[in-house]
Amino acid sequence: MIPCANPLSQYLSHKAEIDSAVMQVLLSNKYILGPEVAAFENEFAAYIGAGHGIGVANGTDALEIAMRALEIGPGDEVITVAHTAVATVAAIEATGATPVLVDVDPFTYTLNAQQLPQMLTTRTKAVIAVHIYGQAADLDEIGAFCSNYGLALIEDVSQAHGATWNGRRLGSFGTISCFSCYPTKNLGAIGDGGIVCTSDKPLANKVRMLREYGWKQRYISELQGRNSRLDEIQAAILRMKLRHLDASNAKRRAIAARYDALIDNPLIERPAIRAQCDSVYHLYVVRSQQRDALMRHLNEHDIHPGIHYPVPVHLQNAYLRRVRTAPSMAVTEALSAQVLSLPMFPELSGDEVETVARAVLAFRG
Ligand SMILES: *Cc1c(COP(=O)(O)O)cnc(C)c1O
C-alpha cells in the first residue's frame, strides 16, 4: 500500500529525538506559551527571514487572526483563489469580511493576477496569495497590485514551508504571512499548530494579543481577542522538525525529479514550476482528462493518490451563491475534475517512487 502522505513515517524516522523533546515538556510543568513556543517562534521567523513569529492553534486561525490584526472585518472584501483549502476562505468569513474569489493560472494553478483589477472595489482590503502544492503564487504581479492600490498582501504559506521566490523564502514578502503545521504539511506537528510571521512590529504585537484574549498584560484585555494558543508539546516537536526541514524538502524535490523524469505519458501533464520559484513539493499534482480512470488504475496497483481539491470552494454547498467570483472560473472548475496528487512524502523509498512512476507510465486510459 502506497499512501499519498504518511506522517507516521516521519515520526518514526525521528522517533528518539521527538520522544525526548516531548518528555522534556511533560516534566517541565510549563505546558502553554512557555520556552518551547518562544524558541520555536524565534527560530521559525529567523528561518523564514521575517522579524517576528507568533504561534497559534492552527493555520485557519493564523489567517483569521492576521486579518483581524489588519482590522479587516464586516463590510470589507478580501480577494483570493477558489482553488485552495476551504480554510483560506473560511478564515475570511470568520472575520466577517466577504471573500472574493478569482481563477488560477492554467499552468501553475496559482492566482491569476490578470483578474485582480476587475475584482477591485472601494471595499477591497487585502489579497491572500496562496502558495499551493509547494510552489509560489506570482509575488511580483500580486505584490505590485497590492502596493499600487494600498492593499495588504497576506501570504498563505501552509503548503510551502521553505520554498523560495528569487532566492528568498516565502512568507517574507507579504505584509503578514500564515502557516499551518497540520501533520501532513512540510513542517507538520503531531496534532494541530500554526504560526504567523511579519516584520511589522506593531502588527506582530497585535497578533500576539489577539491570540490570547487581547492581553498585553495578564488578565487585562485591551483588544477583542480569543484563545488560539500553540502548546508547548507541539512547539517542541516543531522545533525539532524545523532542524530537518531543509533535508526533508530536499527529499521531496528528489522524488519530484524522479517523477518528472519517469512519467512521460501523453495522457498526463506533470507540474509546471515558475522559474523564480524553488518549490518544496508539498504535493506532486498531475493533471489528466481521464483522472478518475487514472485513480482507479493506481488503486488497482495499491497506490492511493489524493485529490486537492475535488470541489472548488465556490461550488461547495456551504458557499454556493454566497461568495463573489470572477466572471470566469474555468481553470479552477476544470482542475477539480482533472488533478491527482501522487504519493509524496520525504520517507517514500526509491522503490516506491519507481512503482508509482511505472504504474502511471503504464496508464492507457
Ligand atoms: C492546511 C491549509 C490551511 C489550514 O490549516 P489548518 O491548520 O488545517 O487550519 C490553510 N490554507 C492552506 C492553503 C492549507 O493547505
Side-chain angles (χ1 to χ4, degrees), residues 131-144:
H131 303 306
I132 200 117
Y133 304 157
Q135 97 149 306
D138 189 336
L139 285 167
D140 296 345
E141 293 264 351
I142 302 168

PDB file of all heavy atoms in Angstrom, residues 131-144:
ATOM      1  N   HIS A 131       0.182  29.912  -1.757  1.00  0.00           N
ATOM      2  CA  HIS A 131       1.288  29.201  -2.404  1.00  0.00           C
ATOM      3  C   HIS A 131       0.937  27.716  -2.395  1.00  0.00           C
ATOM      4  O   HIS A 131       1.204  27.002  -1.428  1.00  0.00           O
ATOM      5  CB  HIS A 131       2.585  29.460  -1.649  1.00  0.00           C
ATOM      6  CG  HIS A 131       2.934  30.917  -1.522  1.00  0.00           C
ATOM      7  ND1 HIS A 131       3.011  31.762  -2.612  1.00  0.00           N
ATOM      8  CD2 HIS A 131       3.211  31.689  -0.443  1.00  0.00           C
ATOM      9  CE1 HIS A 131       3.329  32.980  -2.198  1.00  0.00           C
ATOM     10  NE2 HIS A 131       3.448  32.965  -0.885  1.00  0.00           N
ATOM     11  N   ILE A 132       0.312  27.259  -3.476  1.00  0.00           N
ATOM     12  CA  ILE A 132      -0.301  25.926  -3.448  1.00  0.00           C
ATOM     13  C   ILE A 132       0.650  24.818  -3.915  1.00  0.00           C
ATOM     14  O   ILE A 132       1.482  25.062  -4.790  1.00  0.00           O
ATOM     15  CB  ILE A 132      -1.604  25.933  -4.287  1.00  0.00           C
ATOM     16  CG1 ILE A 132      -2.508  24.773  -3.888  1.00  0.00           C
ATOM     17  CG2 ILE A 132      -1.331  25.902  -5.776  1.00  0.00           C
ATOM     18  CD1 ILE A 132      -3.815  25.174  -3.321  1.00  0.00           C
ATOM     19  N   TYR A 133       0.525  23.681  -3.320  1.00  0.00           N
ATOM     20  CA  TYR A 133       1.279  22.460  -3.689  1.00  0.00           C
ATOM     21  C   TYR A 133       2.793  22.596  -3.455  1.00  0.00           C
ATOM     22  O   TYR A 133       3.571  21.790  -3.959  1.00  0.00           O
ATOM     23  CB  TYR A 133       1.066  22.065  -5.156  1.00  0.00           C
ATOM     24  CG  TYR A 133      -0.352  21.854  -5.617  1.00  0.00           C
ATOM     25  CD1 TYR A 133      -0.672  21.967  -6.975  1.00  0.00           C
ATOM     26  CD2 TYR A 133      -1.374  21.521  -4.732  1.00  0.00           C
ATOM     27  CE1 TYR A 133      -1.962  21.750  -7.440  1.00  0.00           C
ATOM     28  CE2 TYR A 133      -2.679  21.317  -5.189  1.00  0.00           C
ATOM     29  CZ  TYR A 133      -2.961  21.436  -6.546  1.00  0.00           C
ATOM     30  OH  TYR A 133      -4.242  21.228  -7.011  1.00  0.00           O
ATOM     31  N   GLY A 134       3.237  23.639  -2.775  1.00  0.00           N
ATOM     32  CA  GLY A 134       4.673  23.818  -2.554  1.00  0.00           C
ATOM     33  C   GLY A 134       5.309  24.872  -3.429  1.00  0.00           C
ATOM     34  O   GLY A 134       6.482  25.179  -3.287  1.00  0.00           O
ATOM     35  N   GLN A 135       4.526  25.425  -4.368  1.00  0.00           N
ATOM     36  CA  GLN A 135       5.110  26.461  -5.228  1.00  0.00           C
ATOM     37  C   GLN A 135       4.490  27.837  -5.011  1.00  0.00           C
ATOM     38  O   GLN A 135       3.414  27.967  -4.436  1.00  0.00           O
ATOM     39  CB  GLN A 135       5.048  26.040  -6.680  1.00  0.00           C
ATOM     40  CG  GLN A 135       3.896  26.559  -7.487  1.00  0.00           C
ATOM     41  CD  GLN A 135       4.312  26.729  -8.934  1.00  0.00           C
ATOM     42  OE1 GLN A 135       5.305  27.404  -9.229  1.00  0.00           O
ATOM     43  NE2 GLN A 135       3.572  26.127  -9.848  1.00  0.00           N
ATOM     44  N   ALA A 136       5.179  28.870  -5.452  1.00  0.00           N
ATOM     45  CA  ALA A 136       4.786  30.246  -5.158  1.00  0.00           C
ATOM     46  C   ALA A 136       3.755  30.778  -6.132  1.00  0.00           C
ATOM     47  O   ALA A 136       3.826  30.535  -7.340  1.00  0.00           O
ATOM     48  CB  ALA A 136       6.023  31.139  -5.203  1.00  0.00           C
ATOM     49  N   ALA A 137       2.814  31.556  -5.603  1.00  0.00           N
ATOM     50  CA  ALA A 137       1.982  32.407  -6.447  1.00  0.00           C
ATOM     51  C   ALA A 137       2.904  33.506  -6.993  1.00  0.00           C
ATOM     52  O   ALA A 137       3.997  33.728  -6.465  1.00  0.00           O
ATOM     53  CB  ALA A 137       0.864  33.011  -5.613  1.00  0.00           C
ATOM     54  N   ASP A 138       2.463  34.211  -8.049  1.00  0.00           N
ATOM     55  CA  ASP A 138       3.317  35.220  -8.686  1.00  0.00           C
ATOM     56  C   ASP A 138       3.425  36.461  -7.790  1.00  0.00           C
ATOM     57  O   ASP A 138       2.624  37.383  -7.868  1.00  0.00           O
ATOM     58  CB  ASP A 138       2.743  35.597 -10.052  1.00  0.00           C
ATOM     59  CG  ASP A 138       3.707  36.482 -10.836  1.00  0.00           C
ATOM     60  OD1 ASP A 138       4.554  37.156 -10.204  1.00  0.00           O
ATOM     61  OD2 ASP A 138       3.595  36.503 -12.067  1.00  0.00           O
ATOM     62  N   LEU A 139       4.441  36.462  -6.938  1.00  0.00           N
ATOM     63  CA  LEU A 139       4.572  37.533  -5.943  1.00  0.00           C
ATOM     64  C   LEU A 139       4.915  38.873  -6.577  1.00  0.00           C
ATOM     65  O   LEU A 139       4.598  39.918  -6.006  1.00  0.00           O
ATOM     66  CB  LEU A 139       5.609  37.138  -4.895  1.00  0.00           C
ATOM     67  CG  LEU A 139       5.096  36.081  -3.907  1.00  0.00           C
ATOM     68  CD1 LEU A 139       6.238  35.482  -3.094  1.00  0.00           C
ATOM     69  CD2 LEU A 139       4.037  36.671  -2.981  1.00  0.00           C
ATOM     70  N   ASP A 140       5.549  38.869  -7.750  1.00  0.00           N
ATOM     71  CA  ASP A 140       5.868  40.143  -8.416  1.00  0.00           C
ATOM     72  C   ASP A 140       4.574  40.848  -8.826  1.00  0.00           C
ATOM     73  O   ASP A 140       4.341  42.013  -8.486  1.00  0.00           O
ATOM     74  CB  ASP A 140       6.752  39.910  -9.645  1.00  0.00           C
ATOM     75  CG  ASP A 140       8.121  39.340  -9.264  1.00  0.00           C
ATOM     76  OD1 ASP A 140       8.479  39.402  -8.064  1.00  0.00           O
ATOM     77  OD2 ASP A 140       8.811  38.822 -10.164  1.00  0.00           O
ATOM     78  N   GLU A 141       3.714  40.115  -9.550  1.00  0.00           N
ATOM     79  CA  GLU A 141       2.447  40.696 -10.041  1.00  0.00           C
ATOM     80  C   GLU A 141       1.496  41.036  -8.887  1.00  0.00           C
ATOM     81  O   GLU A 141       0.918  42.115  -8.855  1.00  0.00           O
ATOM     82  CB  GLU A 141       1.731  39.667 -10.938  1.00  0.00           C
ATOM     83  CG  GLU A 141       2.459  39.360 -12.227  1.00  0.00           C
ATOM     84  CD  GLU A 141       1.940  40.194 -13.377  1.00  0.00           C
ATOM     85  OE1 GLU A 141       0.915  40.877 -13.184  1.00  0.00           O
ATOM     86  OE2 GLU A 141       2.562  40.158 -14.453  1.00  0.00           O
ATOM     87  N   ILE A 142       1.342  40.100  -7.970  1.00  0.00           N
ATOM     88  CA  ILE A 142       0.380  40.319  -6.878  1.00  0.00           C
ATOM     89  C   ILE A 142       0.900  41.420  -5.951  1.00  0.00           C
ATOM     90  O   ILE A 142       0.145  42.289  -5.513  1.00  0.00           O
ATOM     91  CB  ILE A 142       0.114  39.015  -6.093  1.00  0.00           C
ATOM     92  CG1 ILE A 142      -0.421  37.925  -7.034  1.00  0.00           C
ATOM     93  CG2 ILE A 142      -0.876  39.251  -4.944  1.00  0.00           C
ATOM     94  CD1 ILE A 142      -0.454  36.522  -6.423  1.00  0.00           C
ATOM     95  N   GLY A 143       2.195  41.396  -5.681  1.00  0.00           N
ATOM     96  CA  GLY A 143       2.810  42.420  -4.833  1.00  0.00           C
ATOM     97  C   GLY A 143       2.662  43.809  -5.434  1.00  0.00           C
ATOM     98  O   GLY A 143       2.341  44.777  -4.728  1.00  0.00           O
ATOM     99  N   ALA A 144       2.865  43.924  -6.763  1.00  0.00           N
ATOM    100  CA  ALA A 144       2.742  45.230  -7.434  1.00  0.00           C
ATOM    101  C   ALA A 144       1.294  45.721  -7.348  1.00  0.00           C
ATOM    102  O   ALA A 144       1.045  46.892  -7.063  1.00  0.00           O
ATOM    103  CB  ALA A 144       3.192  45.117  -8.893  1.00  0.00           C
TER     104      ALA A 144
END
